[in-house]
Amino acid sequence: MKIAVYPGSFDPITLGHLDIVQRAAAIVDKLIICVMVNAEKAPLFDLTDRMRLVERATAKFDNVVTDTSDLLLAEYARQVDANVIVKGLRAMSDYEKECQMALINKKINPDLDTFFLAASEKYTYLSSSIVKEMARYGVDLAEFVPQEIIADITKKTAHRR
């Protein structure tokens, strides 16, 4: 069984993330979306809420599950018997950083490979940070995040306007 991990902070999950989920889920037997903490970011949603939003947005995929971990990614992958990390790339700057991380993960867990999926053209500009900024200004988020979570984002950012 091919098990892959798609890690990220997903604060919140975007249509770009969902595009990567859909494409990766078609390649592997099981895709684990691992909602992780990024110490460099101040999240809008806490870890529990982010997991709940990801679960709602990905409920239609039979082979996708959501999890969280505070382990190093390579160690987490070993723990769940995953042999693939899935990463979405929007730009060359993403590639340089992700290549470095892939090499480190391979050093820690030699059985682990990283698959890079280029972002679909219509999502190359999209990030969770941009979504949060647009939400603070009341922009319609329908073209940026899954329909199932728009109300959650709007509610969370309403007091920040």
Side-chain angles (χ1 to χ4, degrees):
M1 176 183 262
K2 293 286 183 196
I3 300 173
V5 176
Y6 180 26
S9 54
F10 304 104
D11 184 42
I13 189 168
T14 69
L15 291 177
H17 292 130
L18 207 55
D19 178 63
I20 298 294
V21 168
Q22 180 177 2
R23 292 162 52 205
I27 297 169
V28 299
D29 298 313
K30 179 179 181 181
L31 179 65
I32 302 168
I33 301 174
C34 189
V35 181
M36 304 187 93
V37 174
N38 184 336
E40 298 174 4
K41 296 180 180 179
L44 177 63
F45 292 98
D46 67 27
L47 192 59
T48 303
D49 286 340
R50 284 184 277 147
M51 284 192 57
R52 185 177 50 81
L53 295 176
V54 170
E55 286 169 351
R56 285 186 15 229
T58 61
K60 63 184 171 190
F61 300 103
D62 293 334
N63 64 333
V64 174
V65 297
T66 305
D67 198 7
T68 187
S69 175
D70 58 2
L71 296 174
L72 286 173
L73 180 57
E75 290 298 332
Y76 173 78
R78 186 185 334 265
Q79 184 181 42
V80 297
D81 294 324
N83 55 354
V84 174
I85 299 296
V86 173
K87 298 298 284 197
L89 300 176
R90 293 176 300 204
M92 282 305 292
S93 58
D94 286 348
Y95 179 75
E96 291 174 15
K97 179 183 174 192
E98 295 300 344
C99 262
Q100 181 181 25
M101 292 306 303
L103 292 170
I104 291 168
N105 286 331
K106 186 79 167 169
K107 184 79 170 169
I108 295 168
N109 181 347
D111 297 326
L112 191 59
D113 283 308
T114 301
F115 287 179
F116 297 115
L117 292 175
S120 295
E121 183 180 310
K122 63 183 177 179
Y123 300 123
T124 56
Y125 66 91
L126 188 57
S127 70
S128 295
S129 298
I130 288 173
V131 167
K132 288 182 279 195
E133 184 70 14
M134 289 188 299
R136 286 183 185 106
Y137 287 97
V139 172
D140 179 8
L141 300 177
E143 293 185 46
F144 309 110
V145 299
Q147 189 68 37
E148 299 89 347
I149 68 169
I150 291 175
D152 299 87
I153 299 167
T154 303
K155 181 179 177 183
K156 191 76 165 180
T157 58
H159 70 281
R160 297 174 184 230
R161 290 186 195 148

